[in-house]
Amino acid sequence: MLYDDTITAIATPPGEGGIGIIRLSGPEAIAIISRIFVPAKPGPLRPFRLRYGTINDPQTQQPIDEVLVSVMRAPRSFTREDVVEISCHGGPLPLQSILRLTLAEGARLAEPGEFTMRAFLNGRIDLSQAEATLDVIKARTETALALAQAQLGGWLAQEVQRIRNALLEPLAYFTVLVDFPEDEVEAQDPLPVLQDAYDSIQKLLANADQGIIYRQGAKVALVGLPNVGKSSLLNRLLRSNRAIVTPIAGTTRDTLEETANLAGIPVVLVDTAGITETDDLVEQIGVERSRSALAEADLALLVLDSSQGIRPEDRAMIDLTSNKPTILVWNKSDLISDPPPHQEPLAPHIQEQVAISALTGQGIDSLTEAVAKILLGGRITTPFDPAKTSRAVSNVRHRDALARAAQHLAHVLTGYRQHDPTDLLTVDLTAALNALGEVTGETVGDDLLATIFSKFCIGK
C-alpha cells in the first residue's frame, strides 16, 4: 500500500474556536501552499519556521484570511513526507474556504486516519504507536493518558521487538535442522531463550486486563427501587448536579449516562428509572430501558435505603441483578444511628456492601475504591500501579496477539522437552513470531489496517 499523492484536511474539531488548522501532506504540499500563500515579507518558506501572511484565492487574488504557515520537509515530519500546516481563524467559513483552495490546487481530501497511516507505512511509527496516537486523543482520565503517552513513546514496540529478535535464533536453528537433516549441525540448547521469551510475554499479559480497563473504561448501572437516591448518588459521583433530584418517587423516568473518573478509571455511570411495577406507559418504557442498561453494564450498583432495611421488593431487585457483579449500596446512612444490617452474605453475585450518604458524601470514597477493585478483577495489590508506572498493555488487540504468542511458545516448550518433531516446533515458533508481529504491524494485512485507521478522525 503506497501513497504518492498529496492529501489535505482540517485537523481541528468542528465549530468555532480561536484557531483552526488545515494540514497537507505529500509531494505537492509545498507547491500548493506556494500558490495560495502570500507572506507579509518576501522570501522562501523555510522548514520549521512560522511565516505570517494571508491565504489568497489565486483566481481573484482576494485574501481569504490572515494565517501562520509552517513547513516541514521530508523526512523530518510526522508522515515523513513534505507537510504544511496552515493556522487560521477557527471559524467554519475560513477553514472551509482554505480547504477548498487546497483541493482546487490538486490535493485530495484525506481519509480518516490517513496522516497517521502514512506515518506508519513510512516507518515513522509502528502500529502500536499509531493506535496510541488515537488513545491520546480519546483519553478520558489522567491514567489513560499516561498509558497512551507511554505506548506512544515506544516502550511496548521495543519490548516486543526484543522478544522477536531473541526468538529468531532458535527459529533459525530449528529451520536448519529441518532443511538440512543430513548435515552436521552444531548442537544448541534453545530452551533458555524460549523460556525467557515466554516469561517476558507473560509479564506483559499480567496486567493487560487492568490496563484495558484504564484505557477503555467500563459501564456501571445504578439500579434500585424508586426514591432510594440513585440520582443523588450519580450527582455525588460526578461532583455536579447532573440529574434532577426531588422527594417525589419516579422523578427519573429514563436512563441518564455520564462519565466519571473513579480512581483513574473512566466509568460511564447510567442512572436508571426506579424498577417497579407501574401502569404508567412512560414509566413502563423507562423501566424497560433500565433493565436494558443493567444487561449492558459491567457492574451494578444496587442502591438500597438504609432506613428501610431489606424489604421484599429489595430482594426482588437482588434477584434481578443475579447475573451481574453487584455492589450493594446502602444509601441514606445519615438517617440511622446504627450501621445497616448487611453483614450476612445476601447472594453470591454481591461482591461488596458499602454504606453511604449521597446527601453528605459519607462513604463515597469507600464506594469508589470498591468499584475500582471489582472492575480491576479484585486485584487491588498488583505490580501495576498507574501512579508509579504507565507501562501496561492497554489494547485488546495487543493482549490477544500476545496471548496467542504465549500459547504457541508454550507448545514449543512442551514439544521440545518431549522431543517432538522439529518441523512441528518450527510451525508453532513461526506462529508465535507472527503473533508478536501483529502488535507492531510487521505481520498485518491491509484489511486490519483499514479497520484500525478508520476509527481516527479526518485530519489525523
Side-chain angles (χ1 to χ4, degrees):
M1 186 185 302
L2 297 175
Y3 294 95
D4 56 4
D5 58 350
T6 299
I7 56 175
T8 183
I10 298 172
T12 42
E16 295 181 354
I19 191 170
I21 296 175
I22 296 96
R23 177 179 291 156
L24 297 99
S25 180
E28 295 298 315
I30 296 176
I32 290 172
I33 192 63
S34 298
R35 293 195 291 269
I36 63 175
F37 175 61
V38 179
K41 294 182 179 179
L45 293 171
R46 291 189 290 174
F48 305 105
R49 300 286 182 90
L50 281 175
R51 292 292 302 276
Y52 167 70
T54 61
I55 294 293
N56 289 7
D57 187 332
Q59 301 298 321
T60 65
Q61 293 305 311
Q62 291 297 312
I64 302 299
D65 195 14
E66 291 181 297
V67 300
L68 291 172
V69 170
S70 61
V71 171
M72 290 151 276
R73 289 191 177 274
R76 299 178 62 191
S77 71
F78 177 65
T79 61
R80 284 193 171 170
E81 301 174 334
D82 287 343
V83 170
V84 172
E85 290 188 352
I86 307 167
S87 299
C88 64
H89 291 96
L93 188 57
L95 281 165
Q96 290 293 339
S97 298
I98 295 173
L99 179 65
R100 280 196 295 269
L101 286 182
T102 61
L103 293 170
E105 291 298 317
R108 169 176 62 81
L109 187 64
E111 298 291 332
E114 191 171 350
F115 289 92
T116 308
M117 179 180 279
R118 291 191 178 202
F120 163 68
L121 294 174
N122 292 331
R124 170 67 172 74
I125 55 177
D126 69 57
L127 191 55
S128 68
Q129 290 173 298
E131 290 168 297
T133 301
L134 182 61
D135 291 345
V136 168
I137 296 170
K138 293 191 173 183
R140 291 176 287 170
T141 66
E142 292 182 359
T143 304
L145 179 59
L147 288 169
Q149 290 285 10
Q151 186 173 310
L152 185 59
W155 78 269
L156 179 59
Q158 294 167 12
E159 179 62 10
V160 169
Q161 193 59 55
R162 181 191 69 80
I163 298 171
R164 290 189 87 235
N165 289 340
L167 290 175
L168 289 175
E169 185 174 344
L171 179 61
Y173 176 61
F174 289 156
T175 302
V176 169
L177 291 178
V178 171
D179 292 345
F180 305 100
E182 297 85 4
D183 296 349
E184 290 189 8
V185 179
E186 183 178 351
Q188 298 180 18
D189 182 11
L191 193 59
V193 173
L194 295 171
Q195 188 65 55
D196 179 72
Y198 178 79
D199 293 342
S200 296
I201 295 174
Q202 291 293 357
K203 186 177 180 181
L204 291 174
L205 288 170
N207 299 305
D209 289 341
Q210 297 178 65
I212 290 167
I213 287 293
Y214 280 113
R215 169 184 174 261
Q216 68 183 26
K219 180 173 284 190
V220 175
L222 283 65
V223 296
L225 296 172
N227 210 31
V228 293
K230 299 184 297 298
S231 297
S232 297
L233 175 56
L234 175 73
N235 289 340
R236 178 62 67 174
L237 292 171
L238 292 174
R239 298 179 176 85
S240 68
N241 293 325
R242 181 64 181 86
I244 298 174
V245 177
T246 76
I248 304 171
T251 299
T252 302
R253 309 185 85 182
D254 199 356
T255 57
L256 174 65
E257 294 190 8
E258 292 290 339
T259 301
N261 180 348
L262 301 185
I265 302 172
V267 175
V268 177
L269 298 169
V270 186
D271 182 22
T272 66
I275 299 178
T276 185
E277 296 297 328
T278 177
D279 294 327
D280 187 297
L281 178 60
V282 176
E283 287 188 10
Q284 289 176 0
I285 295 173
V287 169
E288 186 57 37
R289 290 185 178 180
S290 297
R291 294 177 184 271
S292 298
L294 175 60
E296 296 171 359
D298 301 292
L299 173 68
L301 300 185
L302 177 51
V303 186
L304 304 182
D305 187 336
S306 294
S307 64
Q308 299 292 325
I310 296 183
R311 298 165 287 179
E313 306 97 304
D314 293 321
R315 293 195 179 276
M317 292 298 303
I318 292 172
D319 293 338
L320 184 65
T321 61
S322 60
N323 63 345
K324 193 73 58 178
T326 301
I327 297 177
L328 215 56
V329 182
W330 292 90
N331 191 26
K332 305 183 183 182
S333 60
D334 56 303
L335 299 180
I336 60 175
S337 56
D338 298 322
H342 61 281
Q343 302 303 319
E344 75 280 3
L346 297 174
H349 68 284
I350 295 177
Q351 301 189 10
E352 294 281 346
Q353 299 188 48
V354 182
I356 69 153
S357 170
L359 179 65
T360 67
Q362 171 191 343
I364 294 298
D365 288 343
S366 297
L367 176 59
T368 298
E369 292 174 5
V371 169
K373 174 184 175 182
I374 293 175
L375 291 179
L376 295 174
R379 293 172 291 179
I380 55 175
T381 55
T382 86
F384 172 54
D385 182 353
K388 297 177 181 179
T389 177
S390 53
R391 292 194 169 190
V393 174
S394 57
N395 186 298
V396 174
R397 191 183 70 81
H398 300 166
R399 180 198 61 189
D400 293 347
L402 290 169
R404 281 186 281 110
Q407 184 179 35
H408 287 297
L409 276 179
H411 292 162
V412 176
L413 287 166
T414 301
Y416 183 77
R417 292 188 176 103
Q418 295 176 350
H419 306 290
D420 286 352
T422 306
D423 55 345
L424 297 182
L425 303 181
T426 303
V427 170
D428 267 313
L429 188 50
T430 300
L433 281 161
N434 287 338
L436 289 171
E438 290 178 20
V439 175
T440 56
E442 296 179 64
T443 56
V444 296
D446 291 348
D447 54 343
L448 178 59
L449 292 180
T451 300
I452 290 173
F453 287 103
S454 66
K455 300 175 184 177
F456 282 69
C457 57
I458 294 176
K460 187 56 185 174

